[in-house]
Amino acid sequence: MPYPPSPRIPSGPRRRTLLASAAGAALLVGCSADPDSGEGGGTPSVTARARARAAGDSAGLLERYDAVLAVHPALAERLRPLRAQVAAHAEAFGGTEAANSPSPTASTAATASPPAVPAAEKDALADLAAAERGLADRRAKALLDVPGELARLMAAVAAAGAAHAYLLTEGAK
C-alpha cells in the first residue's frame, strides 16, 4: 500500500514564491515604463516639471559652490571635483551647458545675487554640506512621484548628494 504524500511538502509553488514573483513583476513593469509615456505614475507634464525643478535645484547648488569658491579660493582643490559633478547633474536634468563654466564672471555675479558665504572655511563647508543633504532628501522624496528613467536619475543624484555632504563634513576629519 503506497503512503500518502507528506503534508509538509507543498504540491505547487509556495505562497511566498508567488507573492515575490508578483511583486517583482510589478516593479519591473513600473521601472521599465517610458519616462515620457505617462505610465508608471506620472504624466509628461509632471515629468517635465520635475525634470525642470531638478535642473534648477542643481543650478542653485552650483551657484553655492561658485560663491564659496569665490570667497575661499583655498578650497578649490577640494571643491572642484564636487562642483563638476553638480554641473553634470544639472546638465543631466536638462540644464544648460553654462553650468560647466568654472565660476561666474564679475558681470554675471553682478546681475545675480550670489548666496551668502560664511567667512570661516569650516562654516562655508558646513553650509554646502547642509545644502547638499537637504537637496538629496528632497530628491529622494520626489523620485516617488516620477516614472522610470527620471526616478532612477533622481535616485542616483540624491545618492551622490548624500556622498558630497559626507565628504564636505567628514572628509576634513
Side-chain angles (χ1 to χ4, degrees), residues 47-145:
T47 302
R49 284 194 308 266
R51 187 177 288 277
R53 187 177 323 111
D57 289 345
S58 289
L61 186 58
L62 201 55
E63 289 174 8
R64 285 180 169 269
Y65 272 93
D66 288 339
V68 170
L69 285 168
V71 174
H72 301 289
L75 294 173
E77 185 177 328
R78 183 173 179 188
L79 296 182
R80 278 204 178 110
L82 301 177
R83 186 207 177 278
Q85 287 185 346
V86 171
H89 298 160
E91 194 172 334
F93 285 121
T96 64
E97 289 192 27
N100 291 323
S101 63
S103 63
T105 61
S107 62
T108 318
T111 58
S113 60
V117 176
E121 287 182 0
K122 182 178 179 182
D123 294 337
L125 290 174
D127 278 1
L128 269 178
E132 286 273 16
R133 194 175 303 109
L135 185 52
D137 290 346
R138 286 194 310 274
R139 284 183 171 152
K141 289 177 187 171
L143 70 88
L144 299 173
D145 298 327

Side-chain angles (χ1 to χ4, degrees), residues 139-172:
R139 284 183 171 152
K141 289 177 187 171
L143 70 88
L144 299 173
D145 298 327
V146 295
E149 201 58 39
L150 182 56
R152 286 188 283 276
L153 177 60
M154 288 180 84
V157 173
H164 290 180
Y166 174 80
L167 291 171
L168 290 166
T169 56
E170 302 296 323

